[in-house]
Amino acid sequence: MRRIGFVLLGLLVAVVGLWIAALVFLPDAPAGSSGAARTPLDRLRLAVRWQPQPVDIGAGRGPAILLGMPVSGIARNALRDSWGEARDDGTRAHHGTDVMAPANTPVVAAAPGVVEKLWNSEAGGITVYVRSPARTWTHYYAHLSGYAPGLHEGQTIAAGELLGYVGDTGNAGAGNYHLHFGLTRTDPAQHWYEGTDVDPFPYLAGKPLPG
């Protein structure tokens, strides 16, 4: 009987291990913009993306930096803090800072990092996810009209480098041209769609961003 118990325990451990491996190694993509039904894995990933994660916002892995403005020609004092405002008839809260600008205004990197994901989603439209060098932040650029020529995943970028252009893709609303800029605090092991969303407004307004 003891031997049977060990065998059953081993099988249970193996099943749990396979489930965890599936979450980690299957392609890193939530449901696409086509409107197709999400799989259980997609729903789990999205649930993780929007749930608080065990990350200390104030604990840095390097020196604090000052974010640059992510839209060319827009001053810091022109920004408005829209974090938490109701969207979609009050069904969700806004997690980001909208930087209003004319169509096709250059969008540039607010800080150095690596292009971790280029993604076209129903909500964000044409987007760029840039991971900080220490992998403790993801900078999110959404509603673009298009990417900078040659921009690709895995590309190392410098602060101020061209990423794309202001647009109205996704759920921005036709003619409502702006950049949605988001900040997500991440653990280095987390994926591009995971982490804790943080209000970017204070940091775009001049507060140093922890490393």
Side-chain angles (χ1 to χ4, degrees):
M1 292 297 293
R2 181 175 297 179
R3 180 175 296 177
I4 293 174
F6 284 134
V7 170
L8 291 176
L9 180 60
L11 288 174
L12 178 61
V13 171
V15 170
V16 172
L18 288 173
W19 181 77
I20 293 174
L23 293 181
V24 173
F25 295 109
L26 285 178
D28 296 338
S33 58
S34 63
R38 294 189 176 101
T39 67
L41 181 58
D42 290 330
R43 289 194 293 270
L44 176 60
R45 283 174 168 158
L46 288 175
V48 170
R49 173 67 176 82
W50 294 109
Q51 290 300 315
Q53 302 295 315
V55 177
D56 184 351
I57 301 302
R61 288 176 174 260
I65 64 169
L66 185 66
L67 292 182
M69 281 296 294
V71 178
S72 294
I74 304 298
R76 295 185 190 276
N77 60 13
L79 297 177
R80 185 180 70 86
D81 190 358
S82 57
W83 177 270
E85 290 184 353
R87 295 288 192 271
D88 292 339
D89 296 323
T91 59
R92 64 180 180 88
H94 187 238
H95 281 193
T97 294
D98 289 340
V99 184
M100 312 307 294
N104 298 315
T105 302
V107 172
V108 299
V114 175
V115 177
E116 188 154 277
K117 193 71 176 177
L118 302 179
W119 188 248
N120 195 334
S121 70
E122 184 176 354
I126 299 173
T127 65
V128 182
Y129 293 77
V130 176
R131 200 70 172 264
S132 67
R135 297 184 57 81
T136 53
W137 291 101
T138 296
H139 302 166
Y140 175 61
Y141 306 79
H143 305 317
L144 305 179
S145 65
Y147 295 125
L151 189 73
H152 61 273
E153 293 175 7
Q155 178 178 341
T156 300
I157 58 168
E161 188 167 345
L162 182 66
L163 298 176
Y165 307 92
V166 169
D168 60 353
T169 57
N171 62 8
N176 184 27
Y177 299 110
H178 68 278
L179 170 73
H180 172 100
F181 181 79
L183 270 180
T184 304
R185 191 56 149 154
T186 62
D187 184 274
Q190 288 179 312
H191 296 82
W192 57 275
Y193 52 81
E194 297 176 310
T196 302
D197 291 337
V198 175
D199 184 0
F201 178 79
Y203 302 105
L204 289 176
K207 179 180 178 179
L209 184 71

